[in-house]
Amino acid sequence: MSRALIIGAGGVAGVVIHKCCQNSEVFTDICIASRTKSKCDKFKEELQDKTKTNITTAQVNADNVPELVALMKEYKPDICINVALPYQDLHIMDACLECKVDYVDTANYEPEDTAKFEYKWQWAYRERFEKAGITALLGSGFDPGVTGVFCAYAQKHYFDEINYIDILDCNGGDHGYPFATNFNPEINIREVSAKGSYIQDGKWVETEPMEIKRVYNFDQVGEKDMYLLHHEELESLALNIKGIKRIRFFMTFGQSYLTHLKCLEDVGMTSIEPIDFEGKKIVPLQFLKAVLPDPASLGPRTKGKTNIGCIFQGKKDGKDKTYYVYNVCDHQECYKEVGSQAISYTTGVPAMIGAMMILTGKWKKPGVHNIEEFDPDPFMDALNKWGLPWTENFDPVLVD
Amino acid sequence: MSRALIIGAGGVAGVVIHKCCQNSEVFTDICIASRTKSKCDKFKEELQDKTKTNITTAQVNADNVPELVALMKEYKPDICINVALPYQDLHIMDACLECKVDYVDTANYEPEDTAKFEYKWQWAYRERFEKAGITALLGSGFDPGVTGVFCAYAQKHYFDEINYIDILDCNGGDHGYPFATNFNPEINIREVSAKGSYIQDGKWVETEPMEIKRVYNFDQVGEKDMYLLHHEELESLALNIKGIKRIRFFMTFGQSYLTHLKCLEDVGMTSIEPIDFEGKKIVPLQFLKAVLPDPASLGPRTKGKTNIGCIFQGKKDGKDKTYYVYNVCDHQECYKEVGSQAISYTTGVPAMIGAMMILTGKWKKPGVHNIEEFDPDPFMDALNKWGLPWTENFDPVLVD
């Protein structure tokens, strides 16, 4: 018997909701809450006859702590799964503190302003969560999320020390458009145009945007270009994994995607400075968004697979050792199962599993924690069971 | 003593006006007329103290024949130089007929609708102009224009028959922007996305857009990619030059220009179908125009040269012969001289020279004529004198 409050009604939330409803033994009751209640009601209508989970819905503004507190006091959830906007994390954590509700969120890829995301804002809640006796699990998506679990698993079972980690995020999906973005184009564009960074000997090393490119041949996807990006989990992994000398994050981008983006930047179509147009101020990037395909429309037409995982190099019993663990996920199969493609699926499934870890007591530990701080074994089992099976390779091709 | 009415006040008109003012012996009086009289007045202010030519200005709507007639009856020009929009040619010809005024226009690169430009509309005036005793000179820009003079010159001096003509239009200018258009982007985009065509054995052969690409090493510019396009002068040259087996037109486009254009097309930014944006209907191409640099702003920043000419293959005294004649024009020098870069300069100078040919009686021949129908020698001399000197090469690299 447990009650989960799910905040958000977008693509990732849809996956979390579907997965909780498949897992009614743990999630006996869920409340779906978002600013637009009709979106929540739609999920309820779709699922309530197919699940034993009791579904209720609510309207809430996640920027408004008193509203969140009122909802939590009324619904009395055991856990709050935050799949709203990352900019709302702190408000939701405040409400959880006040109501003594456990907390899970997923990847916060980008901050609202131009500064890089850092954990310090959420880590500042550690003592308060500990005193309140509640658990906050940060970043329980895929990356961050499963990538941190992979690190903890490698450390626990295969290494005495891990010296090098490369996180490889490959999306081999094809939506058939010459150019479209899986997310808000604004975030995509910022990701590609931002400086890259990685951690070497305990320090951040910054690179020019897309400066470091590698080619990698991904299992079930094939050869892809990938680029070194800044990614938030590097910060916590460098602290939590022993013996780390270097940790990097790579993401694949097709040449066509990058060329289109570059051209659009060149002509000023990605600018956020308004221009005068027929007596009106219009932001070029917002006009571009209106011209591009709606990201939500890509689900049914995206074909191909994602392959996300970690390559480790380190020592075991005094010997060099390498290890690669990854998940392959098929866009079309995800869409068939939950109505979203693999990008949302690989984020939503771990959010449900993270919540389950806390609700079942396996990961109950008052305070604010990153995912690699917990025992990875039950999470790794759950990945195999709930749709994100993983593959191991003890002789992988390394990234130079 | 002669009076010229110049209709238009854009970039090409500016060059014509400057050149007439340099040539006051022929152009003792000019009247600059356009829809926006203030633009005409600006030219007058700039030039009146530096020239012996008497400058007057007038407001006229070139779509309105009675207005044009009233202006001609008042100003009593000997010739009308039409550097307004090509869509206004027939109205201006009607007014010239009624007032018995000689007529010159420049290149009409594109028609207003999607049909290809054809000479038939203007050729239909032949008999009326002949009966009225007035001369119409069609297409006295560079291409068409000087390219036709080059053909007539080759035919007169070097060949018994010309079998192959390739017209090569190279713009090696660099405005320093990743992407910008020298003209209205709509026309540029239509040019690149239209089917190409050339004349072979008296028939038009159509190609896919940009299907035929060649690389050519241009004197003073260097190696450039060039593409076969449809161009209006092929139609008249195929009729007027004897022995023609094939005539083609190539224009250079940089890979970056084409890539940007393709990307903009791909994402829908070149579409002329309005989209809904914040409660307003907006045509993406029109928004794109507003984002791109104003073509008029490119003049001061464009560096480099144009190289436009014709390569001929044919027979002389029973032997094979080849001949290449071309002009090289420097963007910055043009801007220094007349305040426009070479694209406008190479069109405006021949318009002045064409008018001079008629005013001085060298090309006075009642009827409607294409430029290659006249004796090329005085025009070729004038090119050297008035800023467009030409170079000959009797052993050019041929285009395959």
Side-chain angles (χ1 to χ4, degrees):
Chain A
M1 278 288 293
S2 65
R3 300 166 72 79
L5 171 61
I6 299 165
I7 301 182
V12 174
V15 176
V16 172
I17 294 160
H18 274 86
K19 284 292 169 180
C20 289
C21 288
Q22 288 176 13
N23 190 4
S24 302
E25 276 182 38
V26 172
F27 298 90
T28 51
D29 298 86
I30 63 172
C31 174
I32 313 165
S34 85
R35 195 187 300 263
T36 312
K37 187 167 173 284
S38 60
K39 287 191 193 172
C40 309
D41 292 335
K42 225 174 142 191
F43 285 119
K44 182 180 171 175
E45 276 165 41
E46 182 192 342
L47 289 164
Q48 64 183 358
D49 296 336
K50 301 177 195 158
T51 181
K52 288 184 184 163
T53 300
N54 296 309
I55 307 172
T56 54
T57 62
Q59 198 272 333
V60 76
N61 173 0
D63 287 324
N64 186 319
V65 179
E67 266 192 40
L68 288 164
V69 167
L71 175 60
M72 287 185 191
K73 288 201 167 158
E74 193 202 329
Y75 187 68
K76 298 191 196 334
D78 300 298
I79 197 163
C80 175
I81 305 174
N82 168 16
V83 277
L85 296 174
Y87 322 126
Q88 297 166 327
D89 287 358
L90 302 186
H91 300 135
I92 297 173
M93 287 176 80
D94 284 332
C96 284
L97 263 178
E98 191 166 338
C99 303
K100 301 212 188 310
V101 172
D102 291 334
Y103 171 89
V104 178
D105 66 26
T106 64
N108 301 337
Y109 286 108
E110 292 283 328
E112 193 157 25
D113 60 18
T114 54
K116 274 177 189 159
F117 185 86
E118 293 175 287
Y119 279 116
K120 66 175 179 186
W121 309 104
Q122 290 182 289
W123 285 347
Y125 283 72
R126 278 173 175 160
E127 210 178 329
R128 280 176 283 164
F129 268 67
E130 208 179 326
K131 277 190 187 161
I134 55 173
T135 304
L137 172 61
L138 304 184
S140 187
F142 206 104
D143 43 336
V146 177
T147 50
V149 176
F150 285 167
C151 291
Y153 189 77
Q155 181 167 255
K156 179 175 177 181
H157 295 286
Y158 297 123
F159 290 92
D160 293 324
E161 59 178 88
I162 295 172
N163 307 124
Y164 301 97
I165 304 177
D166 283 323
I167 303 173
L168 272 48
D169 181 336
C170 165
N171 180 5
D174 181 4
H175 44 58
Y177 289 113
F179 184 75
T181 56
N182 285 310
F183 282 104
N184 186 325
E186 197 169 343
I187 291 176
N188 267 254
I189 286 161
R190 210 193 290 158
E191 200 165 47
V192 175
S193 58
K195 294 208 171 195
S197 61
Y198 61 98
I199 291 176
Q200 174 103 40
D201 300 322
K203 285 184 192 135
W204 286 104
V205 180
E206 205 168 61
T207 73
E208 288 308 302
M210 313 302 270
E211 182 187 339
I212 299 184
K213 175 188 168 180
R214 297 287 184 269
V215 178
Y216 201 83
N217 194 352
F218 290 92
D219 183 27
Q220 297 185 54
V221 173
E223 204 165 88
K224 292 280 171 189
D225 294 340
M226 62 183 191
Y227 298 83
L228 186 146
L229 298 185
H230 172 77
H231 228 242
E232 69 198 76
E233 67 261 52
L234 305 189
E235 185 186 8
S236 70
L237 290 171
L239 295 175
N240 292 322
I241 305 297
K242 281 170 209 152
I244 282 286
K245 289 182 180 161
R246 188 189 64 202
I247 174 164
R248 303 182 296 187
F249 179 93
F250 289 92
M251 188 177 274
T252 62
F253 293 98
Q255 194 47 55
S256 169
Y257 176 88
L258 296 177
T259 301
H260 281 77
L261 210 49
K262 179 74 168 56
C263 290
L264 292 167
E265 274 187 296
D266 281 349
V267 302
M269 279 308 300
T270 62
S271 166
I272 54 171
E273 282 298 311
I275 65 158
D276 285 310
F277 183 78
E278 293 176 2
K280 221 182 144 174
K281 293 265 178 203
I282 294 183
V283 172
L285 182 56
Q286 271 157 23
F287 188 81
L288 176 61
K289 268 194 223 176
V291 170
L292 291 177
D294 177 2
S297 73
L298 303 179
R301 47 184 295 148
T302 302
K303 290 174 189 166
K305 293 174 181 177
T306 60
N307 177 327
I308 319 176
C310 305
I311 299 176
F312 303 93
Q313 294 171 261
K315 304 263 185 214
K316 180 70 176 177
D317 302 328
K319 282 187 196 158
D320 286 345
K321 189 177 171 86
T322 60
Y323 172 58
Y324 184 17
V325 55
Y326 57 87
N327 161 260
V328 174
C329 194
D330 185 286
H331 286 291
Q332 298 259 289
E333 281 174 24
C334 293
Y335 192 77
K336 228 184 289 172
E337 184 194 327
V338 300
S340 296
Q341 29 81 315
I343 306 291
S344 297
Y345 192 90
T346 53
T347 306
V349 171
M352 179 280 285
I353 295 174
M356 176 172 70
M357 292 295 109
I358 296 171
L359 289 172
T360 56
K362 294 192 176 91
W363 282 13
K364 182 76 186 167
K365 183 162 92 179
V368 174
H369 305 284
N370 291 91
I371 201 162
E372 65 273 14
E373 298 174 45
F374 294 98
D375 177 13
D377 292 356
F379 198 108
M380 290 292 275
D381 288 343
L383 286 171
N384 283 326
K385 181 170 178 191
W386 293 103
L388 295 174
W390 38 275
T391 303
E392 296 181 305
N393 178 350
F394 291 90
D395 187 21
V397 174
L398 300 177
V399 181
D400 67 7
Chain B
M1 279 287 294
S2 65
R3 300 167 72 80
L5 171 63
I6 299 165
I7 301 181
V12 174
V15 176
V16 172
I17 294 160
H18 274 86
K19 285 292 170 179
C20 289
C21 288
Q22 289 176 12
N23 190 3
S24 302
E25 276 183 38
V26 172
F27 297 90
T28 51
D29 297 86
I30 62 171
C31 174
I32 313 165
S34 84
R35 194 187 302 262
T36 313
K37 187 167 172 284
S38 60
K39 288 190 190 171
C40 308
D41 291 336
K42 224 174 142 190
F43 285 119
K44 182 181 171 177
E45 277 163 41
E46 182 191 344
L47 289 164
Q48 64 183 358
D49 295 336
K50 301 177 194 158
T51 180
K52 290 183 183 163
T53 300
N54 296 308
I55 307 172
T56 55
T57 62
Q59 198 273 333
V60 76
N61 174 358
D63 288 324
N64 186 318
V65 179
E67 265 191 42
L68 288 163
V69 167
L71 175 60
M72 289 185 190
K73 287 199 167 157
E74 192 203 330
Y75 187 69
K76 298 191 194 340
D78 300 301
I79 197 163
C80 175
I81 305 174
N82 168 16
V83 278
L85 296 173
Y87 323 125
Q88 298 166 326
D89 287 358
L90 302 186
H91 300 135
I92 298 173
M93 288 175 81
D94 284 332
C96 285
L97 262 179
E98 192 166 338
C99 303
K100 299 213 188 314
V101 172
D102 291 334
Y103 170 89
V104 178
D105 65 27
T106 64
N108 299 336
Y109 287 107
E110 292 283 328
E112 193 158 24
D113 61 19
T114 52
K116 275 177 188 156
F117 184 88
E118 292 176 287
Y119 280 117
K120 66 177 178 184
W121 309 105
Q122 291 183 289
W123 286 346
Y125 283 72
R126 279 172 175 162
E127 210 177 330
R128 280 175 285 164
F129 267 67
E130 209 178 326
K131 278 189 188 161
I134 55 173
T135 304
L137 171 60
L138 303 185
S140 188
F142 207 106
D143 44 335
V146 176
T147 50
V149 175
F150 286 166
C151 291
Y153 189 77
Q155 182 168 254
K156 180 175 176 183
H157 297 285
Y158 298 122
F159 290 92
D160 294 325
E161 59 177 87
I162 295 172
N163 307 125
Y164 301 96
I165 304 176
D166 282 323
I167 303 173
L168 272 48
D169 181 336
C170 164
N171 180 5
D174 181 4
H175 44 58
Y177 290 114
F179 183 76
T181 57
N182 285 309
F183 284 105
N184 185 326
E186 196 169 343
I187 291 176
N188 266 254
I189 286 161
R190 208 193 291 159
E191 201 166 45
V192 175
S193 58
K195 296 209 170 192
S197 60
Y198 60 98
I199 292 175
Q200 173 102 40
D201 301 323
K203 282 182 195 138
W204 285 104
V205 180
E206 206 169 62
T207 73
E208 288 307 303
M210 313 302 270
E211 180 185 340
I212 298 184
K213 175 188 169 180
R214 297 287 184 272
V215 178
Y216 201 82
N217 194 352
F218 290 92
D219 183 27
Q220 298 184 55
V221 174
E223 205 165 87
K224 293 280 170 188
D225 294 340
M226 62 184 190
Y227 297 84
L228 187 146
L229 299 185
H230 172 76
H231 228 242
E232 68 198 76
E233 67 260 51
L234 305 190
E235 185 186 8
S236 70
L237 290 170
L239 295 175
N240 292 323
I241 306 297
K242 282 172 207 149
I244 283 286
K245 289 182 182 161
R246 188 189 65 202
I247 174 163
R248 303 182 296 188
F249 179 94
F250 290 91
M251 188 177 274
T252 62
F253 293 97
Q255 194 48 55
S256 168
Y257 176 89
L258 296 176
T259 301
H260 281 78
L261 209 50
K262 179 74 167 55
C263 290
L264 292 166
E265 276 187 293
D266 282 348
V267 302
M269 279 308 300
T270 62
S271 166
I272 54 170
E273 282 299 312
I275 65 157
D276 285 311
F277 183 78
E278 294 177 1
K280 221 181 143 176
K281 293 265 178 203
I282 295 182
V283 172
L285 181 57
Q286 271 158 21
F287 188 82
L288 176 62
K289 268 194 224 177
V291 170
L292 290 177
D294 177 1
S297 73
L298 302 179
R301 47 184 295 150
T302 302
K303 288 173 188 167
K305 293 174 181 180
T306 60
N307 178 328
I308 320 178
C310 305
I311 300 175
F312 303 93
Q313 294 170 260
K315 304 262 184 212
K316 179 71 176 177
D317 302 328
K319 282 188 196 155
D320 286 344
K321 189 178 173 86
T322 60
Y323 172 58
Y324 183 18
V325 56
Y326 57 88
N327 161 260
V328 174
C329 194
D330 185 286
H331 286 290
Q332 298 259 288
E333 282 175 25
C334 294
Y335 192 77
K336 229 182 291 171
E337 184 193 328
V338 300
S340 297
Q341 29 82 316
I343 306 291
S344 297
Y345 192 89
T346 53
T347 307
V349 172
M352 180 280 285
I353 295 174
M356 176 172 70
M357 292 295 110
I358 295 170
L359 289 171
T360 56
K362 293 190 175 94
W363 283 14
K364 184 75 189 167
K365 184 163 90 178
V368 173
H369 307 286
N370 292 90
I371 201 161
E372 65 274 13
E373 297 174 46
F374 294 98
D375 177 12
D377 293 354
F379 198 108
M380 291 292 275
D381 289 342
L383 285 171
N384 283 325
K385 182 170 177 189
W386 294 103
L388 296 174
W390 38 274
T391 302
E392 296 183 306
N393 179 348
F394 292 90
D395 187 21
V397 174
L398 301 176
V399 181
D400 67 5

